Amino acid sequence: MNKFKINIQGMTCTGCEEHVAVALENVGAKNIEASFRRGEAVFELPDDIGVESAKKAIVEAEYQPGEIEEVQSEEKIVLGDEGDYDLLIIGSGGAAFSAAIKSVEYGAKVAMIERGTVGGTCVNIGCVPSKTLLRAGEINHLAKVNPFIGLQTSAGKVELAPLVKHKDELVSELQNQKYVNLIDEYGFELIEGEAIFVDENTVEVNGKKLSAKRFLIATGVSPSLPPISGLEKVDYLTSTTLLELKTVPKRLTVIGSGYIGMELGQLFHNLGSEVTLMQRSERLLKEYDQEISEAVEKALIEQGINLVKGATFERVEQEGQIKKVHVTVDGKKKVVESEQLLVATGRKPNTDALKLSAAGVEVGKRKEILINDYARTSNEKIYAAGDVTLGPQFVYVAAYEGGIVADNAIGGLNKKLDLSVVPGVIFTNPSIATVGLTEEQAKEKGYEVKKSVLPLDAVPRAIVNRETTGVFKLVADAKTSKLLGVHIVSENAGDVIYAATLAVKFGLTVEDLKDSLAPYLTMAEGLKLAALTFDKDVSKLSCCAV
């Protein structure tokens, strides 16, 4: 059998994928994977069947075959043969466990090396602890400030220590349930210690050399520090240590206003701190569409959070317990003082200790591990997945990539990573959720773009909630009406974005959204209303009217 990949024009949906697959199957092709999003099909042909017959079949199915190339199949390893392990995984987060579980299901002998706490960022110091405290902060904020006349709500002083203890108990429970207990459940080995590559086939852990047929590096990232004078002499906080505080600071300054800075800044604002978010950029969330940035900025200012944009950071100093951040904004010098200082200016890959050069693994400018479409590094025996590659930094992406590594490294399937449609959520209030292309990205890719921008005060759910700061934005191909991107600022935006993800992933059009039934008085109805907004003024429609 020979494996081929052919470019195909004319596929627009999953139905087209099926048509192509059937056409190829009819001429004897096997293991067919057709993708309308990538405009290609990958398949195998017996030695006695030529590629021209495959091209002819595609033409007869009324699609246009393009360039065809032979694909080098991934060599399937012999399990349980020479070497200590079939797969040796460095790291123990989402990517690591996904790869381990699937590899064991293939019958592989697997070990996982962890130098710190099992479970990685998400469960221990990221998603789980921050989101549970964010919910606590929201409840406290609503108790102090609610938009309904006649409701008498109030909030006392926040006792942060019990909240943090409760958070730690939840983290411990989920860490055991979703990670530690699975080690025995699936029967792979956990090795505690620092992994250092000796050569392309071997790592050393605690003075012992271990070999494997394949490796996966999934060591994640850690907070990075900006080059600001005096910062190293100040008692600053990171996203990890902030969540360990036992008292709510009177004032909190946050350097950096990306998703981590905004989430944690709003958390402590809701718990009672006076919060100042500071950033170098002139625009909040500059990588997002303008309408999204504006809606988020408006919401934060309405809530009483201080924003300092376009700042040049001169130096940081500490006098007693007070941290002072000296900046220049619009040519004027300014000093922001606070009891606590959070530095949230991005993350760096955890690769320094691995000695990757000994294994022939190339890294990028930020020391991220470079991988190809199959998650393979420059060393064909070594794979990488998750945040250490500086791809989309979401645990669900890491888990997906870990599964692909198992399929390729152990199963020999030669699967490509497909990160063309990745939803993202920022858990502020209102929350921010996006999927697909921004308007600018769509234009850069050559699309003729049409857009719809629906303010949240046109969405009935937001009106009855009495929280109408936000927006729905749809980006579509003007020629085909296919949805290219969806961007939302609203309560429950993270829940709504899954429906939008399916719409973008499977090539739905604006008309498809218009023709669907959306439950009234849900935030998801905003998707349909935004679709109607392409050619109607929804403020002049009756409830549920189309």
Side-chain angles (χ1 to χ4, degrees), residues 215-494:
F215 292 85
L216 167 60
I217 301 171
T219 48
V221 293
S222 55
S224 63
L225 296 180
I228 301 175
S229 177
L231 186 58
E232 71 282 357
K233 299 177 183 178
V234 169
D235 296 328
Y236 63 85
L237 298 167
T238 66
S239 57
T240 300
T241 55
L242 179 73
L243 299 182
E244 297 169 355
L245 291 179
K246 298 301 188 288
T247 58
V248 177
K250 180 181 178 182
R251 295 171 296 180
L252 171 68
T253 302
V254 182
I255 297 178
S257 56
Y259 74 95
I260 294 175
M262 283 203 302
E263 285 184 0
L264 298 183
Q266 190 181 62
L267 162 62
F268 275 82
H269 166 77
N270 288 342
L271 292 176
S273 296
E274 179 187 335
V275 173
T276 301
L277 297 179
M278 310 183 75
Q279 64 175 41
R280 289 190 171 92
S281 174
E282 294 285 352
R283 178 156 75 91
L284 201 64
L285 297 173
K286 62 180 180 179
E287 68 275 18
Y288 288 63
D289 273 333
Q290 182 77 33
E291 296 90 344
I292 302 302
S293 299
E294 291 173 353
V296 173
E297 181 170 332
K298 181 182 178 186
L300 295 179
I301 291 173
E302 286 176 347
Q303 292 168 22
I305 293 175
N306 305 312
L307 294 180
V308 177
K309 301 181 297 179
T312 299
F313 292 91
E314 306 295 348
R315 70 182 190 280
V316 178
E317 61 183 1
Q318 182 168 341
E319 293 182 4
Q321 296 301 311
I322 302 301
K323 289 82 177 176
K324 297 183 178 182
V325 182
H326 294 257
V327 294
T328 300
V329 181
D330 294 330
K332 298 179 181 178
K333 295 189 180 299
K334 182 175 183 178
V335 181
V336 177
E337 298 184 356
S338 60
E339 285 70 28
Q340 295 290 358
L341 172 66
L342 168 64
V343 179
T345 52
R347 293 177 175 267
K348 60 181 180 180
N350 295 324
T351 55
D352 286 344
L354 292 169
K355 295 190 178 177
L356 294 174
S357 58
V361 175
E362 295 180 2
V363 297
K365 293 180 180 179
R366 297 172 61 188
K367 298 187 178 180
E368 75 278 14
I369 297 180
L370 302 176
I371 58 173
N372 64 11
D373 290 342
Y374 305 93
R376 196 182 302 119
T377 71
S378 51
N379 180 337
E380 63 179 14
K381 296 180 180 180
I382 301 177
Y383 294 74
D387 293 355
V388 75
T389 68
L390 290 187
Q393 293 186 33
F394 305 115
V395 68
Y396 44 91
V397 171
Y400 161 74
E401 291 177 342
I404 294 291
V405 168
D407 285 335
N408 292 343
I410 304 302
L413 297 187
N414 215 47
K415 281 187 176 180
K416 272 190 175 182
L417 296 170
D418 182 3
L419 298 177
S420 57
V421 184
V422 178
V425 182
I426 300 177
F427 291 86
T428 48
N429 183 26
S431 49
I432 308 153
T434 68
V435 68
L437 303 177
T438 64
E439 181 181 351
E440 183 179 347
Q441 288 169 340
K443 288 177 179 176
E444 288 174 352
K445 287 182 175 291
Y447 287 101
E448 182 183 337
V449 172
K450 65 176 181 179
K451 66 179 179 180
S452 164
V453 179
L454 179 74
L456 204 60
D457 59 13
V459 178
R461 176 75 255 181
I463 295 170
V464 300
N465 286 354
R466 299 184 182 276
E467 294 181 346
T468 55
T469 298
V471 67
F472 277 70
K473 180 174 181 178
L474 306 185
V475 179
D477 182 348
K479 294 180 179 178
T480 65
S481 283
K482 275 189 181 180
L483 282 172
L484 302 174
V486 178
H487 312 280
I488 308 168
V489 179
S490 79
E491 180 186 45
N492 296 331

Side-chain angles (χ1 to χ4, degrees), residues 529-543:
L529 293 173
L532 291 169
T533 299
F534 277 103
D535 48 29
K536 287 184 179 180
D537 182 351
V538 296
S539 68
K540 297 179 180 178
L541 297 178
S542 63
C543 291

Side-chain angles (χ1 to χ4, degrees), residues 25 50 55 70 79 136 155 191 193 221 247 358 447 456:
E25 194 175 73
K55 283 189 173 183
E70 188 168 356
L79 299 177
I191 302 168
V221 293
T247 58
Y447 287 101
L456 204 60

